[in-house]
Amino acid sequence: LVHTILLVIGLVFSNCVKQPVADFSMDDSEYSPGDYIYFTNSSSDAKSYKWTFPDGTTSTSSNPSFYIPSYLPTGTHTIKLEAINGSKNDTREKTFSLIPSTGQLMFWTSYSSLGNITVNIDGNYAGTISGWYSSSPSCGATYGVTKDLSPGSHSFSATNGSKTWSGNYTVASGSCLKVQLMP
């Protein structure tokens, strides 16, 4: 009889535990390596949480953030949240897109005597330097040639018809490398 009473009491209490509902949002849907993803947990009736991230790491924080490591491949990745209340749980998964990071390579000149300069990057036409600056311009300035490129080494060649330049430069993610072409 005592076992029956304990079993009934256990069933009554286990039925009092509410079923949690897992849900969350992310601050964006598209990221690059080196970005952080910030989460807003909107789960209900949960006492604890377990987040699982694409690199295999986990968190038990209510509203964690996730730093996207550079080794994570581009494409679609999944974030998983498990909302837990005693022996009951619910899981919610959402995806985000990981796009390649880029940097910029800009070519410019401070010599008006050079005229228009045609610039090729990695063997492809990138644009024409059509003016000059008295000091280093900002990336994307009107008279220079600025290209968004994947991080790594890139070759360039440039000519104004009488002078030729060429070389290799390494582009870093999130930065702008400015190259001044001189006579």
Side-chain angles (χ1 to χ4, degrees):
L1 180 64
V2 171
H3 291 309
T4 305
I5 293 172
L6 290 176
L7 179 62
V8 170
I9 291 173
L11 288 174
V12 169
F13 281 117
S14 68
N15 287 334
C16 292
V17 174
K18 289 186 175 183
Q19 174 66 40
V21 176
D23 198 14
F24 66 97
S25 60
M26 296 179 281
D27 61 328
D28 205 346
S29 61
E30 194 172 84
Y31 301 90
S32 294
D35 287 346
Y36 278 90
I37 302 176
Y38 296 97
F39 301 97
T40 301
N41 186 342
S42 55
S43 300
S44 60
D45 299 318
K47 300 291 185 199
S48 61
Y49 306 97
K50 181 180 179 187
W51 298 81
T52 305
F53 303 113
D55 65 349
T57 60
T58 61
S59 174
T60 56
S61 175
S62 179
N63 292 292
S65 61
F66 173 64
Y67 175 79
I68 302 172
S70 61
Y71 60 80
L72 204 60
T74 58
T76 302
H77 294 277
T78 302
I79 303 288
K80 178 181 168 184
L81 168 62
E82 183 179 7
I84 304 162
N85 188 358
S87 62
K88 296 182 179 184
N89 63 44
D90 186 42
T91 302
R92 174 78 174 183
E93 293 184 353
K94 292 193 178 184
T95 61
F96 68 91
S97 296
L98 185 60
I99 59 173
S101 57
T102 62
Q104 292 183 317
L105 184 55
M106 180 197 183
F107 295 90
W108 67 283
T109 188
S110 60
Y111 295 91
S112 62
S113 61
L114 292 176
N116 289 343
I117 302 170
T118 302
V119 178
N120 292 296
I121 299 174
D122 296 330
N124 298 308
Y125 174 75
T128 301
I129 299 172
S130 59
W132 61 278
Y133 294 92
S134 59
S135 63
S136 179
S138 60
C139 271
T142 305
Y143 302 122
V145 172
T146 304
K147 290 299 280 185
D148 290 335
L149 299 167
S150 60
S153 182
H154 296 275
S155 64
F156 90 95
S157 63
T159 186
N160 67 355
S162 60
K163 172 111 176 103
T164 301
W165 299 264
S166 64
N168 292 300
Y169 288 96
T170 300
V171 174
S173 176
S175 69
C176 177
L177 176 61
K178 295 186 265 184
V179 178
Q180 181 181 8
L181 300 180
M182 302 175 68

